[in-house]
């Protein structure tokens, strides 16, 4: 016995005639908003090509070479060098270094303007040579220079009394610049056997060199220094002998 199925009738949109092909609907263009009537406002238009062309830069931006302000226009060419802004005068440091190298002709006028840039370079060089010798003395060197400056400042002002004009800053500058012979001794000690007679003789020569230079500068730059030359020389000798012991031992 066959089973009957209820099939719904097929309805054609063309009036029920299956032989007539269906007409395909042509795709329509997407919706585009109306363009702006003002061509100078490209951001109101959705045309990407025209907006990009109208908003593209034709040339690199031009910046003014001068900056107008209250004090007038100032350009980058008129700016002082960075070392000059930091107070580092390389020419002055070079001239002071040359004056230390000749212990018999010392120009004390160069050291009237005290600075710490040159002494810092000499102390770092001293610590570097000591490091090459296997000795880490950076902290010891900086601490001893500070204590030596305070020692010389107190000794001189006690000798000169109220007439003393040697300040702490100038003491630190003089002791730092006069460390140059000790720095040279530290460099030579890398090529000389330790504990021999040669290193002892070299140490004595460089200590006397540094003592003479420092004593001469302190006497020339400070008031009433000539009266106490021997005591000042003894204090300077103790200072540089102490630093030379770092090289020997």
């Amino acid at each position: 016995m066959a089973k009957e199925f209820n099939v719904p009738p097929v309805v054609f949109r063309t009036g029920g005639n299956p032989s007539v092909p269906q007409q395909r609907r042509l795709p329509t263009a997407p919706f585009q908003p109306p363009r702006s009537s003002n061509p100078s406002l490209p951001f109101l238009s959705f045309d990407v090509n025209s907006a990009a062309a109208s908003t593209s830069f034709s040339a690199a931006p031009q910046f003014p070479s001068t900056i107008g302000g209250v004090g007038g226009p100032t350009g980058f060419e008129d700016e002082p060098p960075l070392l000059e802004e930091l107070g580092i005068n390389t020419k002055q440091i070079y001239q002071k270094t040359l004056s230390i190298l000749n212990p018999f002709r010392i120009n004390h006028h160069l050291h009237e303007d005290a600075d710490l840039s040159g002494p810092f370079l000499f102390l770092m060089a001293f610590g570097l040579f000591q490091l090459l010798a296997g000795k880490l003395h950076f902290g010891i060197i900086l601490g001893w220079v500070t204590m030596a400056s305070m020692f010389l400042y107190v000794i001189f002002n006690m000798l000169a009394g109220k007439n003393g004009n040697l300040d702490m800053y100038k003491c630190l500058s003089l002791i730092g610049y006069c460390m140059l012979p000790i720095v040279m001794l530290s460099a030579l000690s890398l090529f000389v056997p330790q504990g021999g007679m040669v290193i002892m003789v070299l140490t004595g020569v460089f200590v006397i060199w540094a003592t003479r230079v420092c004593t001469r500068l302190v006497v020339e730059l400070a008031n009433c220094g000539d009266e106490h030359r021997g005591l000042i020389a003894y204090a300077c000798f103790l200072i540089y002998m102490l630093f030379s012991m770092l090289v020997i031992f």
Side-chain angles (χ1 to χ4, degrees):
M1 181 177 181
K3 186 177 181 180
E4 297 181 358
F5 295 94
N6 295 326
V7 179
V10 179
V11 179
F12 297 94
R13 294 182 181 181
T14 58
N17 189 2
S19 62
V20 179
Q22 296 184 4
Q23 297 181 357
R24 302 178 63 182
R25 299 179 61 184
L26 298 177
T28 59
F31 172 75
Q32 294 183 357
R35 296 187 179 184
S36 174
S37 60
N38 190 359
S40 62
L41 300 177
F43 58 87
L44 294 179
S45 175
F46 286 85
D47 192 354
V48 179
N49 296 327
S50 62
S54 61
T55 57
S56 61
F57 294 98
S58 60
Q62 300 292 332
F63 296 98
S65 60
T66 58
I67 302 174
V70 180
T74 57
F76 292 103
E77 298 178 356
D78 300 332
E79 291 290 333
L82 179 60
L83 294 179
E84 185 177 347
E85 291 184 355
L86 296 176
I88 301 176
N89 191 346
T90 55
K91 183 178 179 180
Q92 187 181 26
I93 294 174
Y94 176 73
Q95 292 176 351
K96 288 182 178 181
T97 304
L98 292 181
S99 67
I100 298 297
L101 291 177
N102 190 357
F104 302 102
R105 297 182 59 183
I106 303 173
N107 190 1
H108 65 276
H109 298 289
L110 295 174
H111 296 270
E112 291 179 355
D113 187 12
D115 69 281
L116 297 182
S117 303
F120 182 77
L121 292 177
F122 292 157
L123 295 178
M124 290 296 101
F126 184 34
L128 179 60
F129 288 134
Q130 290 294 98
L131 184 63
L132 293 176
K135 306 172 185 177
L136 187 60
H137 289 160
F138 285 100
I140 297 175
I141 292 171
L142 295 176
W144 282 11
V145 166
T146 305
M147 297 300 296
S149 303
M150 296 175 61
F151 172 70
L152 184 62
Y153 170 76
V154 172
I155 292 297
F156 180 81
N157 286 278
M158 288 179 62
L159 294 174
K162 297 180 180 180
N163 298 324
N165 62 344
L166 190 65
D167 55 353
M168 183 69 181
Y169 186 75
K170 188 171 291 186
C171 284
L172 191 58
S173 176
L174 293 179
I175 291 179
Y177 272 107
C178 294
M179 281 289 296
L180 181 58
I182 306 300
V183 176
M184 297 171 63
L185 174 64
S186 178
L188 290 176
S189 66
L190 299 175
F191 309 97
V192 177
Q194 296 291 325
M197 189 66 183
V198 178
I199 190 65
M200 297 297 178
V201 174
L202 290 176
T203 300
V205 172
F206 283 101
V207 168
I208 293 175
W209 181 0
T211 302
R212 176 181 173 81
V213 174
C214 187
T215 304
R216 178 74 179 275
L217 290 176
V218 172
V219 170
E220 295 292 341
L221 296 178
N223 295 332
C224 304
D226 201 10
E227 301 177 359
H228 311 285
R229 183 185 295 267
L231 294 176
I232 295 174
Y234 179 67
C236 294
F237 176 79
L238 292 178
I239 291 173
Y240 294 109
M241 193 64 192
L242 182 65
F243 283 103
S244 65
M245 294 177 66
L246 293 176
V247 180
I248 298 175
F249 303 105

